[in-house]
Amino acid sequence: MALPPSTKPLRADTERTVRAILEAAERVLSANPAATMEQVAEAAGVARTTVHRRFASREALIGALSAWAAQRFHEAVEAARPETTPPDVALYQVTANVLRVKIGWGFAMGALPTDAPEVASVHADVLARCERLFARLRDTGVLPPDADLDWARRVYYALIHEAATQAPDTDAAMDALATRVVDTLLRGIGTRTTT
Amino acid sequence: MALPPSTKPLRADTERTVRAILEAAERVLSANPAATMEQVAEAAGVARTTVHRRFASREALIGALSAWAAQRFHEAVEAARPETTPPDVALYQVTANVLRVKIGWGFAMGALPTDAPEVASVHADVLARCERLFARLRDTGVLPPDADLDWARRVYYALIHEAATQAPDTDAAMDALATRVVDTLLRGIGTRTTT
DNA sequence: ATAACTTGCAACATCAATGACGCATGTTCT
DNA sequence: AGAACATGCGTCATTGATGTTGCAAGTTAT
């Protein structure tokens, strides 16, 4: 049972269990990617056999976890409407939204390269949107005309990844973190006066 | 035999084998951290039992691998003389040297948190040097007086990590990469004219 | 209430990775 | 050349993770 997205409406019971397992898997696996199913089960507060009843194999569990996180990820990017908002606003919004997801679902999102077509397509879609956003940033003059957009995007990803290692408690801190990422991306950490 | 650094001078034979295993381990494990000893052995062109003869356990192998890489890492930083060179020069030199090591020993360096005291002390030492270097950069005016040095250092690490995913073939490309890292760190990727 | 479903528990089967030997066949060193 | 050592190969033991099944007890939905 690899849980094909829409089998049948799950019983309230089951839904709770599945979520508990996914959340536990995220926590446990992010701490130790080689953790066993038993550790996940224990963290979820269920028996090991229950995990196996919901997810046929370890592979299936990780697949479902990736799919779940990919869904959230996609929503986070969607919600920022990066195609229609002014690019600098979009950059900030996307950053803030993605950070929110990435904190707490860090393992599921990028830990290991997922081959599930569903997840891959989400990542590809987000990648394309990101590239378009950066192109718009360049055309708007936020980035120089000769900017290496691929490098820019990779630096952006890396900064988000780095920022996500801190888990701010308040919403204000979250916003401050997003601001810092955008700021560092665009202006670096050096003194502006020089050169 | 966890290969305590200086047991006795190894036979020419053995030395070659050990190196082959370490190099193979780096390649195989960076592709798949959960790879088996057999895959490592195969990649090294030796029998699985030979790997076990040289490294008592999987743990020991990874430990030795980390120690080996830590050694190179330390040398790379040392060679830049970051305490005595002008800080901006040192920043560039350290970047270039570390990149050289990190490309090709990426797994062994940061993949998983090593608890070996030897490795930890190297990382701690490098961390301290890095902090001092950044403090000097701030005092020299390269970084603003109110710069968050911890964030700066983390961004620096992240950029190096990102840059190391490209493996330039020529020495010139290596230097260009280091330049790009330093440049992005200090100035970001945005247009300089604005704000 | 009751049928359908889920869970925990315990037991079992499997399987792959790890690690250890002994021995015949090379290599290395002196 | 000859002693000392390393390697490949086959073999075996162990262990831990994975996955399955049956059943009694508890939930959910209608």
Side-chain angles (χ1 to χ4, degrees), chain A:
Chain A
M1 296 187 189
L3 282 196
S6 37
T7 322
K8 280 204 171 182
L10 295 170
R11 221 170 81 168
D13 213 359
T14 312
E15 178 113 14
R16 243 176 299 148
T17 304
V18 170
R19 287 183 68 109
I21 294 175
L22 286 178
E23 285 168 12
E26 164 62 34
R27 261 175 297 148
V28 172
L29 291 177
S30 70
N32 168 24
T36 72
M37 301 292 263
E38 184 141 31
Q39 290 174 272
V40 172
E42 187 184 356
V46 300
R48 188 176 65 88
T49 50
T50 299
V51 177
H52 276 108
R53 250 192 292 264
R54 294 292 149 218
F55 306 95
S57 65
R58 178 198 185 76
E59 202 180 23
L61 170 60
I62 295 186
L65 187 57
S66 295
W68 169 268
Q71 186 60 32
R72 301 249 160 189
F73 183 35
H74 194 251
E75 289 165 11
V77 175
E78 277 286 286
R81 306 213 163 272
E83 329 276 319
T84 54
T85 324
D88 48 351
V89 175
L91 179 63
Y92 175 84
Q93 276 300 343
V94 168
T95 304
N97 290 355
V98 168
L99 267 181
R100 253 176 259 272
V101 175
K102 183 136 183 165
I103 294 169
W105 295 97
F107 169 80
M109 277 187 55
L112 61 172
T114 306
D115 44 340
E118 184 188 356
V119 176
S121 86
V122 168
H123 280 225
D125 178 67
V126 169
L127 179 69
R129 281 160 183 272
C130 190
E131 281 170 349
R132 259 173 289 162
L133 175 58
F134 273 63
R136 284 179 68 218
L137 283 167
R138 183 195 49 198
D139 297 344
T140 319
V142 177
L143 300 186
D146 63 336
D148 180 335
L149 293 189
D150 186 59
W151 170 249
R153 187 192 53 74
R154 286 168 52 205
V155 170
Y156 179 49
Y157 275 33
L159 287 178
I160 288 183
H161 183 81
E162 185 56 43
T165 61
Q166 291 163 323
D169 29 7
T170 70
D171 268 10
M174 257 292 326
D175 291 345
L177 202 53
T179 302
R180 171 175 261 183
V181 166
V182 172
D183 210 63
T184 302
L185 176 68
L186 294 181
R187 299 208 269 278
I189 58 165
T191 308
R192 219 150 333 293
T193 67
T194 341
T195 303

Side-chain angles (χ1 to χ4, degrees), chain B residues 98-142:
Chain B
V98 169
L99 268 180
R100 252 176 259 272
V101 175
K102 182 136 183 165
I103 295 169
W105 295 97
F107 169 80
M109 276 187 56
L112 62 172
T114 307
D115 45 338
E118 183 188 358
V119 176
S121 85
V122 168
H123 282 224
D125 178 67
V126 170
L127 179 69
R129 281 160 184 272
C130 189
E131 282 170 347
R132 259 173 290 164
L133 174 58
F134 274 62
R136 284 179 67 217
L137 284 166
R138 183 194 51 198
D139 297 344
T140 320
V142 177

Side-chain angles (χ1 to χ4, degrees), chain B residues 57-73:
Chain B
S57 67
R58 177 196 185 76
E59 203 180 22
L61 170 59
I62 295 186
L65 187 57
S66 295
W68 170 267
Q71 187 59 33
R72 300 248 161 190
F73 183 35

Side-chain angles (χ1 to χ4, degrees), chain B residues 11 14 17 46-47 49-50 53-54:
Chain B
R11 220 171 80 170
T14 311
T17 303
V46 300
T49 49
T50 299
R53 251 191 291 263
R54 293 292 148 220

